[in-house]
Amino acid sequence: MNDDRKDLPPAAQRALAEAEERRKKAEAEAKELPKELGGRDGPDPARYGDWEKKGIAIDF
């Protein structure tokens, strides 16, 4: 355990340990996903509002 975490109450230490465990589990699950073939390059259009590809507007 880190020195800075020793000063925290037991509940906070448990919460940090649980969060680290969830992060490791999420990373392991992300590695299991198959690679996308033929997907878009660049940023996610839903997040950045770019709904066109090569000048053609797309919708789904």
Side-chain angles (χ1 to χ4, degrees), residues 10-57:
Q13 292 176 2
R14 280 193 312 273
L16 289 171
E18 290 172 7
E20 182 66 27
E21 203 173 304
R22 282 193 303 271
R23 275 194 291 276
K24 288 180 182 177
K25 183 179 177 185
E27 288 174 4
E29 289 176 357
K31 290 179 182 176
E32 294 175 3
L33 294 175
K35 184 174 177 157
E36 181 178 351
L37 301 175
R40 285 186 54 105
D41 293 334
D44 181 21
R47 183 172 179 190
Y48 294 99
D50 183 18
W51 295 101
E52 66 177 48
K53 186 173 182 178
K54 296 184 181 177
I56 300 172

